[in-house]
Amino acid sequence: MQRSRGEKWFNVFNMLLMIAFSFLCLYPFIYILAISLNDAMDAQKGGIYMWPRMFTWNNYSIIFNDQNIFLAYTVTVARVFVGVVTQVLLVAMFAYVLTKKNFPLRKFLNWWIVIPMFLSGGLIPFYITLQQLHLLNSFWTYIIPGLYGAFNIMLVRTFMTELPEALEESAKIDGASDFRIFFSIIFPLSKPVLATIALFVGVGHWNDWFTGFTFISNADLWTAQNLLLFLIQSNEASNLAVLSKMHNGTVTVTAESIKMAMLIVTTAPILCIYPFLQKYFVKGIMLGSLKG
Amino acid sequence: MTTLAGSQAKSKRQQLAGKILHKIWDQRWLYVFTIPGIIFFLLFSYYPMFGIIMAFQDYNPVKGYSGSEFVGFDNFNTIFQLPDFNNALRNTLIISGLKLIIGFPATILFALFINEIHHTIFKRVVQTISYLPYFISWVIAAGLWYKMLSPDGGLINEMLTKVGFLNEPYYFMGSTTAFVPIVLFTELWKNIGFNAIIYLAALSSIDPHLYEVSSIDGASRVRQIWHIALPGIRGTMVLLFILSASGLMSAGFDQLWTMGNLQVQEVGQILDTLILSYLRNSGGFMGLSLGATMGVFQATVGLILFLVCNFVAKLFKQESLI
Amino acid sequence: MRIQRKVGILLSVATLSLGVAGCSGGDNGNNAGGNNTAANDTATTNNTATTNDTTNNAATNAPAEEEAGTVSDLKITAFNWGWDNPDPAKDIVLPELTKRLGLNSLTYDVIKTGSYDDVVQKLQLWASTGGSDWPDFVATGADGKTKLILNNMGESGKLEDLTPWLEKYPNVKKAVEKLLPFSTNPHDGKLYSIPQNFSNMQAYAIDQPTIWIRKDWLDKVNLGYPKTVDEFYNALKAFKDQIKDVNGQPVVPYSAFGENFRNMINLFFPPGQNGGTGVWYTDADGKAARSDVTQPENLIRALTFYNKLYNEGLIEKESFSLKQGQIDEKGNQGRIGALHGAYWEMANPYTDNMKKTDPNAQFVGIQLYDPAIAQGPSLPQFRLEAWSLWAVKAGLPKEEVNTFFKTLDYVLSEEGTILTKYGIEGQQWERNADGKIVDTKAFFDETQGDWNKRAHLGIDVYSFIPNYEALIKNQAPSGYEMREDMIETWKNLGSKFPTEYISDPQRYVDPGDVENKMTVGQSERYKQLVAKAVTAKTPEEITKLVEDWGKSIRALGYDKVVEERTEAAKSVNLDSLK
């Protein structure tokens, strides 16, 4: 009796704690959404915490009225797609080899990927390299320098080591080549971890603005992140653009309100997708980082 | 005699060569799978490392690496004399050390609490929500917390003053005392859910039978956690602790770059942010060399830490991280 | 920072604050004049220069023209970090300009970046690849680092020495002549960049750090415009005690610092002797000096003043972390009593926004002085300087460079200036009764004077090197100039235009090698010093901070920089100031 009452209290306490924590995680988004859907001038009065007081789509229409936004979204989607597919495939192949204990280059390859995690030459030599490889100012600037990720390789490698060896061995006895074993057995079995890195890579590509700003001079090749950051940089010069936009007679938006709408526009796609990938990435991380 | 021995040796060599070739042919796909990766890292990671020369030069981008003057270890002397650098080094160690000491047990605790929820749907919803902050960038997260903690109409100050906890709004982000705790708190807020996944996995692999037996013995929940759950995830804990310890030289660039401000730079400037600000706003080209020098210092210490930790991990788990 | 921003805007719009003022300033609906501004109607005297007509391009008077022909396609590159570009579908200026120049195509390539820091980074990266992706003709900013990159590029033979070209195009030379001493590379005497935009005393209204204060609040608390820092303090105190905002909330009496670190620390020093760590002056012994090191007592007084404001809640509590957008928000809401800003960027938009809820609300610019060191406000001064620069890649075909200069030359003519600045007669502009240029009604209705909307048509974008005389001669006084708050402001400032150029040679010395080495990271550290001192708990703390600061600067090699600068100042040629 005593024990079950204690347990009940524990459960209640735990539930409340988790509800509070969940609220803490959710609240910022509720807040941004409320501000972004509220009339900008009204929002400046403050006091909006949970839902809009004067509902409007204005902040969003400013963003979507930008002539270049659709081109930028196309580039972004293409980039995410190509980037994810290529990296997942290449990383999986590389990681698979690292699980082969009898492969002579294994140790060398492990070090080969670890050292760059710590040492890098910096931006200028990287730029010079890209220039020498003719990889500036093209769509491939987004893809090729990001084909591999050392951390992802390590994650996938660990996952693959945990796969039952028996499957592979029986395939070997049947005379299957490493190529066939990889594509017909290992690759499908690694779905959880591959979904995990697909998510990482996709989010990375989606959120990246640095590549566009630094290596691409042609604004037609910009991604949505570049464009939106350019629209509303927090630095002074661009506030000017926003301010002057406000100044065509009727003030409908402010830098802050567009910023909030921008946050929603740029993060919403990720937030919509990750819950569906959740069961994969949880499994992927679990198995990828655990040994035995 | 000699010819016979010679031909024997030759045929042995041939045999050996044949074996090696055969083995290579046998593993041809493995080579095919890795060669693109080897080339990739060579081109995009190793080749650009020539930039490290900058740390030993008075680098001028127009003159390039070949034309700039070499200065030996002068740049290293310079950075150790800079008040910025010593401050940033200290802050880096303090912040990442605290993140380790506090974040590490907190994550385990969080995983244990989640694990104790027995309502499946509730558990899943909490988990999903807990990953949410992980997916937003620090730029956004920092902006949000600035707003929430603002002494001018920020939600937290309004609540605290309404409850009577504070007499007047407190400027959290401008306080050198409050800043580091806020950095730790927001770090936890953003990453705890995601980091807990690993522990939850380890917890779920504990044999449920152990719990049943202890329940029958009348053990309380707390005792169960202490005697069953924690020992069950000990291996994971050790491994992750060592892993995080090897990252001691990076205290979280994105977070500190977006959350820091002039009033708290004294405690909030870390190596990574200092390097970037040198690379961006420097007198002439000098910042390029000095930034690169700090980078080399940081990487060297980081690599040594990693090797040490890797060694320790080997001792514990009989296997290495690489 | 201020200069840099200015450069930024000017760069993209390739024109003067004439455009900028219209952009962020007085574009409220009643601004009949559209976006023309600072070129005033009074200063039309000095008009001897380049009112050349269209036929008078260099072709007729430059003998070199025969050697170098022209090409039919030209591409020009510029940067932009946050405003609107011409819309190729709507652009009417570029096709007309192409036609008038007899070109087949004229491309204006705009590279978008995040900030001017990004531009410098880009230039640096271009330079680091040996200049292979450096654009043929590019407009850059004119800050120290950009100049350093350009001069280095030139010295290594990658940029064209433009001196001979200026000889061939006397009109271009005449327009930028005064600034050439400051653009010349000190090492080899060659000219690797020429000014694109530059300061001009007749065309620029005062653009000093100015304090804007709520006139309607001053009236409410029965105070006149403050003139000294002490009167300013009293006004702020009265604001804090007696004013509530429209929602009944307490107000922010004074907003300083913020993302752009705006302040009036310089008022506590002799005129022209403080601007943080970047500004040097010549001391009584004729040596270079920097006031944060040589005048600790003044720095302490300045920081103590701000410290008092901070501790008494007269200044924004979040002074050192607020983003500009947040300050704007509060300004628009009518919650700020006084703030900093150049005349064209801050106060007028706030006033216009506030008027929607509070018809009396009005910011007016004032000028203060510190009675401890001055008898009255100092005269407005102006640094003769380029705000942005043209650079031409070396090794281009002569014909191509010639075409570029021909383009500059044409844009500089009165006809070219009018086309690029106002558009086409009858379509975008017409002449009013005084013979001055004003927007046509249809055009004004379409754009409401919004600079960005005008930019879509290419207006005010391609005025590469401005012809001030032509602008002053043709431009009607704008609605902006007739705004009540502006008239009041100029009254407070004593003059609408700067009265003289800064003549201290130290202000024209570019940092040398020793200085560059010593000053790495210093401006950031100075800001931290200010932040710490302003928020300090006790006066002793401030004294200690400033003393330690001076010691640390000296330890880093201050004396060597003094030597270097004193030496460099000897070769500064200030003849063009006269």
Side-chain angles (χ1 to χ4, degrees):
Chain A
M1 213 51 210
Q2 184 69 22
R3 191 173 67 85
S4 84
R5 192 193 291 165
E7 196 152 301
K8 233 178 220 161
W9 280 115
F10 178 85
N11 278 338
V12 170
F13 168 75
N14 194 8
M15 283 270 217
L16 288 177
L17 192 74
M18 287 303 147
I19 289 173
F21 177 76
S22 304
F23 181 74
L24 206 59
C25 291
L26 264 181
Y27 177 74
F29 296 91
I30 300 173
Y31 175 78
I32 299 179
L33 200 63
I35 299 275
S36 72
L37 288 171
N38 196 78
D39 181 80
M41 295 313 284
D42 176 66
Q44 293 192 348
K45 292 190 190 121
I48 294 172
Y49 296 120
M50 292 295 280
W51 38 76
R53 190 164 46 209
M54 279 174 72
F55 184 85
T56 174
W57 288 111
N58 255 339
N59 301 315
Y60 289 91
S61 68
I62 290 274
I63 292 178
F64 284 105
N65 272 340
D66 191 275
Q67 37 184 338
N68 303 316
I69 192 96
F70 285 102
L71 182 63
Y73 260 100
T74 318
V75 174
T76 313
V77 171
R79 168 189 180 174
V80 169
F81 181 77
V82 178
V84 167
V85 170
T86 50
Q87 174 157 165
V88 166
L89 189 69
L90 289 171
V91 161
M93 295 197 302
F94 200 94
Y96 170 64
V97 178
L98 293 185
T99 63
K100 295 283 170 192
K101 293 230 158 63
N102 61 348
F103 186 61
L105 296 181
R106 198 173 79 107
K107 199 132 198 153
F108 160 76
L109 289 177
N110 271 330
W111 281 104
W112 190 246
I113 62 167
V114 160
I115 290 171
M117 289 172 88
F118 291 92
L119 276 181
S120 86
L123 178 64
I124 292 178
F126 192 68
Y127 184 89
I128 296 174
T129 309
L130 292 187
Q131 197 261 342
Q132 287 168 348
L133 295 170
H134 299 283
L135 272 177
L136 293 170
N137 287 320
S138 98
F139 178 73
W140 299 105
T141 310
Y142 292 121
I143 306 297
I144 294 178
L147 280 178
Y148 285 88
F151 179 76
N152 292 340
I153 295 177
M154 291 171 78
L155 199 67
V156 178
R157 179 198 65 185
T158 321
F159 183 93
M160 285 177 173
T161 340
E162 300 303 314
L163 292 175
E165 278 172 46
L167 282 170
E168 209 180 321
E169 266 157 31
S170 65
K172 249 211 168 119
I173 292 164
D174 292 347
S177 68
D178 285 323
F179 184 86
R180 267 202 44 209
I181 294 173
F182 174 73
F183 278 103
S184 55
I185 299 173
I186 304 293
F187 197 81
L189 280 178
S190 306
K191 214 162 66 180
V193 77
L194 297 180
T196 310
I197 67 161
L199 181 77
F200 288 164
V201 175
V203 169
H205 272 292
W206 181 272
N207 283 337
D208 171 52
W209 49 269
F210 184 81
T211 311
F213 270 160
T214 317
F215 304 122
I216 293 188
S217 303
N218 177 1
D220 286 347
L221 278 171
W222 268 11
T223 62
Q225 288 281 351
N226 286 135
L227 196 69
L228 294 169
L229 274 176
F230 181 75
L231 263 183
I232 328 196
Q233 273 262 314
S234 60
N235 81 37
E236 34 176 355
S238 43
N239 278 319
L240 183 95
V242 175
L243 270 179
S244 72
K245 278 203 176 91
M246 295 158 52
H247 275 270
N248 45 18
T250 50
V251 183
T252 53
V253 298
T254 62
E256 279 300 296
S257 67
I258 302 188
K259 205 166 166 178
M260 293 297 163
M262 182 199 102
L263 297 189
I264 296 292
V265 170
T266 45
T267 47
I270 295 173
L271 298 187
C272 293
I273 288 171
Y274 92 84
F276 297 99
L277 286 172
Q278 185 183 343
K279 69 172 179 190
Y280 292 112
F281 72 72
V282 169
K283 212 166 155 191
I285 290 173
M286 274 160 54
L287 297 171
S289 40
L290 274 185
K291 298 186 167 192
Chain B
M1 274 294 271
T2 46
T3 49
L4 188 68
S7 71
Q8 260 180 352
K10 203 176 162 191
S11 77
K12 245 184 201 161
R13 268 208 305 273
Q14 269 174 348
Q15 263 181 346
L16 194 69
K19 244 185 199 162
I20 291 173
L21 280 179
H22 186 74
K23 202 176 171 205
I24 290 180
W25 176 249
D26 232 27
Q27 296 185 325
R28 63 193 182 279
W29 286 111
L30 302 184
Y31 287 99
V32 171
F33 283 177
T34 46
I35 283 168
I38 296 174
I39 296 174
F40 173 87
F41 284 103
L42 183 70
L43 283 182
F44 295 106
S45 299
Y46 288 95
Y47 176 60
M49 280 185 200
F50 67 79
I52 292 172
I53 300 174
M54 241 155 97
F56 304 94
Q57 281 183 330
D58 188 351
Y59 178 72
N60 176 329
V62 180
K63 290 181 185 154
Y65 295 95
S66 48
S68 297
E69 192 192 337
F70 276 88
V71 295
F73 282 87
D74 274 11
N75 292 331
F76 287 88
N77 282 334
T78 311
I79 58 168
F80 285 114
Q81 279 164 16
L82 284 174
D84 297 352
F85 177 76
N86 296 320
N87 184 42
L89 182 60
R90 196 195 64 219
N91 292 339
T92 306
L93 293 175
I94 291 178
I95 291 176
S96 58
L98 284 174
K99 275 184 180 174
L100 183 64
I101 293 167
I102 293 173
F104 181 73
T107 312
I108 296 170
L109 208 62
F110 179 77
L112 288 172
F113 273 119
I114 291 244
N115 196 47
E116 292 298 320
I117 302 174
H118 294 300
H119 192 289
T120 328
I121 296 175
F122 181 68
K123 186 174 177 177
R124 191 169 300 161
V125 170
V126 169
Q127 269 186 278
T128 307
I129 293 175
S130 73
Y131 308 144
L132 204 142
Y134 178 84
F135 288 105
I136 60 166
S137 68
W138 268 113
V139 184
I140 297 169
L144 273 169
W145 283 105
Y146 258 101
K147 215 158 187 147
M148 306 247 284
L149 291 166
S150 164
D152 184 26
L155 186 68
I156 290 171
N157 263 311
E158 286 203 348
M159 269 165 36
L160 291 178
T161 41
K162 222 168 250 173
V163 178
F165 200 78
L166 286 176
N167 290 326
E168 56 171 32
Y170 185 72
Y171 181 24
F172 291 97
M173 294 307 261
S175 150
T176 43
T177 4
F179 184 74
V180 174
I182 290 171
V183 165
L184 295 175
F185 172 80
T186 49
E187 161 83 16
L188 279 182
W189 166 78
K190 195 165 180 302
N191 293 331
I192 199 169
F194 202 80
N195 291 344
I197 294 176
I198 293 171
Y199 293 108
L200 284 168
L203 285 168
S204 67
S205 66
I206 295 174
D207 187 357
H209 195 69
L210 289 173
Y211 285 102
E212 279 164 35
V213 172
S214 76
S215 281
I216 292 164
D217 291 351
S220 73
R221 288 283 274 276
V222 177
R223 283 178 66 89
Q224 282 184 351
I225 290 175
W226 190 253
H227 290 290
I228 300 170
L230 281 179
I233 59 171
R234 198 175 56 198
T236 315
M237 277 161 55
V238 171
L239 196 70
L240 283 176
F241 185 84
I242 290 167
L243 247 180
S244 348
S246 74
L248 217 55
M249 286 303 277
S250 346
F253 166 73
D254 288 352
Q255 183 187 16
L256 273 305
W257 182 255
T258 49
M259 293 187 79
N261 65 61
L262 284 174
Q263 249 172 294
V264 296
Q265 277 318 43
E266 200 185 333
V267 295
Q269 178 85 276
I270 57 167
L271 279 180
D272 286 304
T273 57
L274 185 69
I275 290 173
L276 189 72
S277 72
Y278 268 36
L279 292 181
R280 288 180 73 94
N281 331 294
S282 49
F285 299 129
M286 200 54 207
L288 296 176
S289 287
L290 292 186
T293 310
M294 292 183 207
V296 168
F297 173 82
Q298 190 189 19
T300 314
V301 179
L303 199 59
I304 293 171
L305 267 175
F306 176 80
L307 292 177
V308 170
C309 292
N310 191 43
F311 178 72
V312 176
K314 248 184 198 164
L315 291 184
F316 268 94
K317 295 266 297 177
Q318 273 89 48
E319 60 181 301
S320 72
L321 298 169
I322 63 161
Chain C
M1 203 58 201
R2 214 161 38 81
I3 294 291
Q4 223 174 48
R5 169 179 182 176
K6 190 157 57 188
V7 169
I9 294 148
L10 296 175
L11 253 183
S12 87
V13 308
T15 180
L16 291 180
S17 74
L18 297 164
V20 174
C23 170
S24 65
D27 298 7
N28 48 352
N30 57 19
N31 182 354
N35 79 340
N36 38 19
T37 61
N40 77 337
D41 42 335
T42 55
T44 46
T45 43
N46 211 359
N47 214 356
T48 48
T50 51
T51 45
N52 51 341
D53 46 28
T54 49
T55 52
N56 180 19
N57 61 30
T60 50
N61 52 16
E65 174 69 7
E66 282 112 59
E67 302 157 32
T70 54
V71 291
S72 56
D73 301 283
L74 184 68
K75 184 173 154 186
I76 292 172
T77 306
F79 294 97
N80 171 337
W81 51 99
W83 45 88
D84 286 14
N85 287 321
D87 176 355
K90 290 189 196 157
D91 194 338
I92 48 113
V93 175
L94 194 66
E96 180 67 20
L97 190 61
T98 316
K99 201 175 85 191
R100 291 195 194 173
L101 285 163
L103 294 173
N104 173 43
S105 77
L106 175 61
T107 315
Y108 187 65
D109 187 29
V110 178
I111 296 176
K112 294 183 181 182
T113 59
S115 67
Y116 194 72
D117 278 349
D118 292 339
V119 175
V120 172
Q121 190 179 61
K122 201 137 223 162
L123 295 172
Q124 212 160 266
L125 291 172
W126 283 344
S128 69
T129 60
S132 57
D133 44 2
W134 189 280
D136 295 350
F137 305 98
V138 64
T140 70
D143 66 312
K145 192 139 179 201
T146 307
K147 274 170 141 178
L148 189 66
I149 296 171
L150 294 182
N151 283 338
N152 267 288
M153 285 288 286
E155 277 174 45
S156 57
K158 284 161 194 153
L159 292 181
E160 180 95 0
D161 177 12
L162 298 174
T163 319
W165 289 100
L166 286 185
E167 295 309 321
K168 287 181 204 165
Y169 285 89
N171 292 332
V172 178
K173 184 175 179 183
K174 195 159 198 170
V176 301
E177 196 161 29
K178 280 187 163 206
L179 293 122
L180 295 183
F182 314 118
S183 294
T184 308
N185 180 13
H187 292 140
D188 60 8
K190 289 186 177 165
L191 191 66
Y192 299 117
S193 60
I194 55 166
Q196 183 195 244
N197 285 297
F198 44 90
S199 47
N200 178 302
M201 276 209 282
Q202 279 80 48
Y204 285 93
I206 291 162
D207 180 21
Q208 323 228 51
T210 307
I211 294 162
W212 296 83
I213 195 161
R214 283 287 292 268
K215 169 83 172 82
D216 52 320
W217 289 7
L218 285 173
D219 292 343
K220 263 190 210 164
V221 299
N222 284 320
L223 288 172
Y225 291 118
K227 290 200 168 57
T228 64
V229 287
D230 305 314
E231 288 171 22
F232 183 60
Y233 166 79
N234 291 336
L236 298 183
K237 215 159 164 52
F239 287 173
K240 183 182 156 85
D241 296 340
Q242 300 174 38
I243 306 276
K244 293 273 178 280
D245 78 354
V246 282
N247 299 324
Q249 294 297 308
V251 296
V252 179
Y254 172 34
S255 171
F257 303 105
E259 190 178 11
N260 302 318
F261 212 69
R262 295 203 160 94
N263 61 71
M264 53 174 196
I265 291 174
N266 61 327
L267 291 183
F268 296 81
F269 291 83
Q273 296 192 358
N274 184 281
T277 56
V279 173
W280 292 73
Y281 66 94
T282 311
D283 68 9
D285 307 333
K287 279 189 170 171
R290 216 175 70 192
S291 59
D292 58 302
V293 183
T294 57
Q295 305 177 20
E297 66 290 348
N298 286 337
L299 187 56
I300 291 172
R301 217 175 56 256
L303 295 175
T304 310
F305 176 77
Y306 268 112
N307 182 263
K308 184 170 72 172
L309 298 187
Y310 189 86
N311 288 336
E312 293 181 18
L314 300 179
I315 188 177
E316 179 70 70
K317 209 166 188 180
E318 294 170 281
S319 286
F320 298 99
S321 63
L322 278 191
K323 298 277 178 212
Q324 190 57 44
Q326 293 168 291
I327 298 175
D328 292 344
E329 200 168 289
K330 290 186 186 184
N332 287 329
Q333 268 171 278
R335 292 191 51 207
I336 297 178
L339 48 77
H340 290 273
Y343 72 98
W344 41 266
E345 60 186 346
M346 286 296 161
N348 306 135
Y350 296 158
T351 299
D352 299 340
N353 273 336
M354 292 185 307
K355 276 196 173 357
K356 296 198 168 71
T357 45
D358 180 0
N360 295 321
Q362 192 179 60
F363 273 112
V364 170
I366 54 170
Q367 205 180 7
L368 300 175
Y369 67 95
D370 173 15
I373 54 140
Q375 311 300 316
S378 57
L379 284 171
Q381 284 184 321
F382 212 50
R383 184 167 177 243
L384 179 60
E385 63 184 335
W387 286 329
S388 55
L389 301 168
W390 281 118
V392 177
K393 199 172 172 174
L396 295 175
K398 286 245 171 315
E399 295 76 20
E400 214 172 301
V401 185
N402 196 32
T403 314
F404 171 70
F405 271 92
K406 228 180 114 184
T407 307
L408 292 188
D409 192 61
Y410 176 70
V411 170
L412 195 53
S413 70
E414 187 168 1
E415 193 192 80
T417 297
I418 290 174
L419 169 67
T420 51
K421 186 79 194 170
Y422 309 107
I424 296 167
E425 180 160 22
Q427 289 180 27
Q428 285 79 34
W429 60 270
E430 59 197 14
R431 291 197 184 264
N432 66 9
D434 300 334
K436 305 273 185 188
I437 292 176
V438 292
D439 282 3
T440 59
K441 190 173 180 313
F443 184 56
F444 183 76
D445 289 346
E446 187 190 329
T447 60
Q448 297 289 320
D450 182 338
W451 186 87
N452 285 289
K453 284 190 179 158
R454 296 162 71 96
H456 292 162
L457 280 80
I459 288 177
D460 221 356
V461 174
Y462 307 107
S463 347
F464 299 126
I465 293 181
N467 179 341
Y468 293 109
E469 284 76 13
L471 290 176
I472 292 164
K473 184 175 138 198
N474 286 293
Q475 193 150 277
S478 66
Y480 174 75
E481 285 173 274
M482 300 200 237
R483 284 173 65 113
E484 197 190 328
D485 50 357
M486 287 318 299
I487 293 171
E488 191 84 358
T489 297
W490 283 317
K491 236 189 262 165
N492 283 333
L493 300 188
S495 156
K496 187 165 163 187
F497 294 97
T499 48
E500 57 181 293
Y501 282 120
I502 294 169
S503 60
D504 184 341
Q506 276 301 336
R507 294 293 300 277
Y508 296 92
V509 171
D510 284 323
D513 292 344
V514 179
E515 183 176 352
N516 279 333
K517 246 167 233 174
M518 180 205 126
T519 52
V520 181
Q522 207 169 88
S523 63
E524 202 58 29
R525 285 200 290 278
Y526 175 75
K527 286 182 186 173
Q528 286 175 32
L529 162 80
V530 172
K532 261 195 231 167
V534 171
T535 56
K537 297 277 184 304
T538 62
E540 292 75 36
E541 227 175 294
I542 301 174
T543 314
K544 173 115 191 1
L545 281 167
V546 172
E547 277 168 5
D548 289 351
W549 170 257
K551 271 184 220 152
S552 81
I553 298 293
R554 286 184 194 278
L556 284 169
Y558 173 81
D559 293 332
K560 280 188 197 141
V561 182
V562 169
E563 260 170 55
E564 183 187 55
R565 276 199 158 253
T566 310
E567 194 54 39
K570 288 178 188 155
S571 54
V572 170
N573 175 0
L574 294 178
D575 294 344
S576 51
L577 295 184
K578 286 155 197 159

